[in-house]
Amino acid sequence: MRKNSEKVYLSDPELTEKDLLGRANHGGSKKLEEENFRPAPVVVAPDGGYGWIVLIASFVINVVVDGIIFSFGMLSQELMTKYESTDGAVAWVGSMQAGFYLLAGPIVSALCNKYGARKITVIGSFIAALGIAASSFSVNLAMMMVMYGLVSGIGFGFVYLPAIVIVGEYFDKKRALATGIAVSGSGVGGFFFSKVIIPLLLEAYGLQGCLLVLAGISFNCAVFGALFRPLRAVYRREEQEGQMARTESFIQRIQDARDDRIRRLNADSHAEISDHEAVSSPKRLSKIEESDYRVGPEKVEMTYVTGSVGNMKESERMKLSEGQLHRRGSTSSRKSTHSNSSKPMYKPDILYSGSVQNLPEVKAMGGIDEYRRATSIQAVNREGLEATSRGCCPPAVSSVLRQMLDVSLLRSPTFLLTCFTSFLTLAGFFIPFVYIKTFLSSQIGLDDDQSTTVLAAISVTNTLGRIVVGFISDYPRVDTIVVACSALIVGGLATIFAPFYSSYAIFIIYALVFGFAISAFAALRSIILVDLFGIAMLNNSFGLQMTFQGLATLIGSPIAGAIKDATGAYNGTFYFAGVLLTASGILLFPAKTVQRWERRRSGAVLGRHEA
């Protein structure tokens, strides 16, 4: 680590690593007095140790949650028979479960930030188990939709997201590998639940008994969620490098850089932007925070240069008592002490599935240790403000909700394009999972075991693809957008031609191709968002995109089922899914070109305003 150097935490995707390094080393600020500095608390990811236990628990939770969701096609025929219903009506049960599993994402993130991954996972396990168990006693399809679809879907949302967030807390340098292993449980679960568990349960206990056992399996997620031990921040007073002092000139340069970013993003409004508005607008999109710590004998003085976080004001100097910041009694006589557990959603990269050490911000700051110190200071800034905030909703919850659902990002044409393509992808994503078994059995003529095997085969490459694609995405020369788009186009075209396949072997090949296509999209979602919008915008862009994806999932399968009911065949169902996937891949290809056009347009408008 570099001593007495200035570091920049900027997340403007327009800046290159060279730009960031230049700004970090620009100018020669005065050296401040050091005798009164207190080092900032740092949350250190162990990248191993107990983290492997957490990773195994996350893997098992992915096996259970996605295994049940992806295997709904095994239950659809049973539900149609029991309730004497149509494909389109029964599809609402599975689509509601998958849709609310995604729609719950922003709310779950906010609650996880306040109460921790462990508590939220345990609560979600209770909700999911209750919903599935109650659905076994459903007297009609509407009750099944509410209990199995809505209630268990929300419960699985409470279980799934914390299982991903906790991996991001425990792994930094090995995060790509760790995340790949964790989410590969999705494919493993899809295979075993569709090929082994659900067929055995249906044969032995019937539909009602099968649902009751699935409820018991879901409840076991609470056991693994209990292993999600929260990390705590550590104070290391002996490390002079950790004393994150900032000179006034450095703070001003950071603020100037933020103002430039805000002006560029606001340029499309075609309105004059005053200096005050550029800094204090509640619709700002930059989320950069820096602080200047000076500890006196009685007070801790903090200078905030923040984004739209709660009720913070730009360049506001707040004095907080030492006890508010160091609640666990960190004293100068201790070599290291622990603060309260970290707020995971205050880490800008918590939802990033790639290796953090490859981010330009990390390289610009000299390594992962310095970068993590800066992000830990951000969390302390926001936690310090929480102590003085008032309101019925805890600030740790409300601030994350505002960040993840900040609709001002929808003013970006590039982001609107990514949202639209994600909507198309998720609208077609689950359709083969829901209908391929009944399609193969009733229309193609394959026996029950063969059609079940084809459904399970999708999960084989879904498992391997998530690990492989996550691994290759770490290479700088790999264009993640090209990989994701190519996979979606291939998977979409293969789905369009599915009604023309005639043999069991060809359908196995199709299942393997489709499984890899969807795995590439799933593995690269957060990486593409960071490539386009920067790490500081990840939580915001991911939260909004999950909302679009949830809505798409909610309506995709029922529309496909309605097409089958109207035509009497499954051909139109697969045409519909294939066109959606292919169109999403084609439309996402020019995302970076649209982004360059947006920059030029914003720069031209901003130039006219300033003139």
Side-chain angles (χ1 to χ4, degrees):
M1 291 181 286
R2 300 176 307 216
K3 294 186 178 181
N4 301 323
S5 61
E6 296 175 344
K7 289 94 178 170
V8 179
Y9 177 58
L10 293 176
S11 296
D12 186 343
E14 298 179 24
L15 296 176
T16 64
E17 180 182 342
K18 182 178 179 181
D19 295 329
L20 289 168
L21 287 168
R23 294 195 181 193
N25 297 316
H26 176 69
S29 59
K30 297 180 180 179
K31 182 179 179 181
L32 299 176
E33 297 178 21
E34 297 181 356
E35 62 269 15
N36 290 327
F37 288 173
R38 182 186 301 279
V42 181
V43 178
V44 180
D47 275 302
Y50 188 77
W52 296 116
I53 303 298
V54 170
L55 180 58
I56 293 172
S58 178
F59 172 84
V60 174
I61 285 175
N62 276 273
V63 169
V64 174
V65 173
D66 283 346
I68 292 176
I69 290 177
F70 288 157
S71 300
F72 177 75
M74 298 296 299
L75 302 175
S76 59
Q77 187 62 52
E78 298 289 334
L79 293 175
M80 283 191 290
T81 302
K82 179 178 180 179
Y83 297 112
E84 299 179 348
S85 187
T86 63
D87 280 280
V90 168
W92 279 105
V93 179
S95 66
M96 287 180 69
Q97 185 184 57
F100 282 98
Y101 151 88
L102 292 170
L103 286 172
I107 297 175
V108 174
S109 300
L111 293 174
C112 188
N113 197 55
K114 173 63 178 176
Y115 302 105
R118 175 189 284 170
K119 291 180 181 178
I120 299 303
T121 303
V122 172
I123 292 172
S125 302
F126 275 95
I127 296 173
L130 175 64
I132 296 177
S135 71
S136 67
F137 301 100
S138 298
V139 296
N140 53 49
L141 190 61
M143 184 176 176
M144 176 65 72
M145 291 179 188
V146 172
M147 302 312 299
Y148 191 90
L150 175 63
V151 177
S152 74
I154 292 174
F156 281 148
F158 272 63
V159 172
Y160 170 76
L161 195 65
I164 299 302
V165 167
I166 196 68
V167 173
E169 284 197 82
Y170 271 85
F171 291 89
D172 275 340
K173 299 175 183 178
K174 301 177 183 177
R175 186 179 297 182
L177 173 63
T179 304
I181 293 173
V183 299
S184 68
S186 172
V188 174
F191 179 86
F192 281 103
F193 273 85
S194 60
K195 180 63 178 175
V196 181
I197 297 175
I198 291 181
L200 288 177
L201 292 177
L202 288 174
E203 183 179 356
Y205 305 111
L207 179 61
Q208 184 178 40
C210 175
L211 292 174
L212 287 173
V213 174
L214 290 179
I217 294 174
S218 301
F219 182 73
N220 279 280
C221 290
V223 177
F224 292 95
L227 298 174
F228 292 164
R229 188 173 67 193
L231 286 173
R232 298 185 182 277
V234 179
Y235 294 88
R236 291 194 177 94
R237 66 182 295 272
E238 79 279 10
E239 294 187 16
Q240 187 177 15
E241 297 89 341
Q243 299 167 347
M244 305 296 287
R246 299 291 190 268
T247 66
E248 293 299 330
S249 62
F250 176 58
I251 290 290
Q252 188 60 50
R253 288 203 303 277
I254 293 294
Q255 186 171 346
D256 290 344
R258 283 197 69 254
D259 293 350
D260 291 342
R261 173 71 169 152
I262 293 167
R263 285 175 178 273
R264 286 196 300 273
L265 291 169
N266 285 334
D268 291 339
S269 63
H270 299 283
E272 291 292 338
I273 304 174
S274 67
D275 291 339
H276 174 73
E277 289 172 332
V279 174
S280 61
S281 169
K283 293 184 178 180
R284 65 183 59 85
L285 301 184
S286 185
K287 305 270 191 308
I288 303 167
E289 305 172 18
E290 296 290 338
S291 63
D292 180 9
Y293 278 71
R294 299 188 190 184
V295 180
E298 298 178 354
K299 301 289 183 179
V300 178
E301 186 177 274
M302 306 172 71
T303 300
Y304 289 92
V305 181
T306 65
S308 54
V309 182
N311 297 319
M312 292 183 187
K313 297 180 180 178
E314 301 298 334
S315 303
E316 175 184 15
R317 304 186 70 84
M318 302 182 61
K319 293 188 177 182
L320 303 175
S321 66
E322 192 169 4
Q324 286 175 312
L325 285 178
H326 309 292
R327 299 174 186 143
R328 297 219 170 229
S330 63
T331 64
S332 59
S333 62
R334 295 184 181 181
K335 188 170 184 177
S336 86
T337 60
H338 295 276
S339 73
N340 288 334
S341 58
S342 64
K343 301 288 193 296
M345 298 308 299
Y346 287 170
K347 293 174 64 175
D349 55 78
I350 192 65
L351 297 173
Y352 185 63
S353 60
S355 293
V356 178
Q357 61 186 355
N358 292 329
L359 292 172
E361 292 84 358
V362 175
K363 296 177 180 178
M365 295 189 71
I368 188 66
D369 295 328
E370 290 297 303
Y371 169 82
R372 191 54 67 207
R373 290 183 186 280
T375 55
S376 295
I377 283 182
Q378 291 183 309
V380 170
N381 284 354
R382 298 173 75 169
E383 289 185 67
L385 186 68
E386 287 178 15
T388 63
S389 298
R390 297 290 182 269
C392 58
C393 184
V397 175
S398 60
S399 64
V400 172
L401 281 176
R402 278 194 296 270
Q403 183 184 31
M404 296 195 78
L405 299 177
D406 183 358
V407 296
S408 57
L409 187 55
L410 296 175
R411 292 157 54 188
S412 166
T414 309
F415 184 70
L416 285 176
L417 176 63
T418 62
C419 282
F420 181 63
T421 54
S422 291
F423 184 91
L424 295 179
T425 301
L426 267 295
F429 189 98
F430 287 95
I431 291 174
F433 285 100
V434 174
Y435 294 109
I436 194 167
K437 183 180 182 299
T438 52
F439 165 62
L440 296 176
S441 300
S442 63
Q443 190 167 322
I444 302 300
L446 300 184
D447 60 41
D448 192 66
D449 182 65
Q450 288 177 324
S451 58
T452 300
T453 301
V454 172
L455 175 60
I458 297 175
S459 299
V460 173
T461 45
N462 188 17
T463 302
L464 298 176
R466 291 180 186 236
I467 299 175
V468 172
V469 173
F471 177 76
I472 66 174
S473 68
D474 277 340
Y475 287 90
R477 294 185 179 180
V478 174
D479 191 323
T480 55
I481 293 180
V482 171
V483 173
C485 292
S486 301
L488 287 173
I489 292 172
V490 171
L493 291 175
T495 302
I496 290 174
F497 289 101
F500 298 99
Y501 307 148
S502 58
S503 69
Y504 171 62
I506 295 178
F507 276 107
I508 289 291
I509 295 173
Y510 160 70
L512 296 175
V513 171
F514 178 77
F516 183 83
I518 61 173
S519 72
F521 170 79
L524 296 175
R525 281 183 298 177
S526 64
I527 297 174
I528 289 174
L529 290 175
V530 171
D531 286 347
L532 291 173
F533 308 107
I535 194 67
M537 300 301 297
L538 177 58
N539 289 354
N540 186 193
S541 58
F542 198 89
L544 287 174
Q545 199 169 87
M546 284 188 76
T547 304
F548 281 89
Q549 291 171 354
L551 292 173
T553 303
L554 199 60
I555 65 174
S557 296
I559 292 176
I563 293 174
K564 186 269 175 185
D565 295 334
T567 61
Y570 287 97
N571 294 23
T573 296
F574 284 86
Y575 297 153
F576 177 67
V579 168
L580 290 175
L581 294 171
T582 304
S584 67
I586 293 173
L587 292 175
L588 186 60
F589 251 120
K592 290 187 176 179
T593 302
V594 173
Q595 184 188 50
R596 288 191 293 269
W597 168 82
E598 182 182 354
R599 290 178 191 168
R600 292 194 299 269
R601 180 170 177 263
S602 298
V605 173
L606 181 59
R608 289 197 299 270
H609 288 166
E610 292 178 343

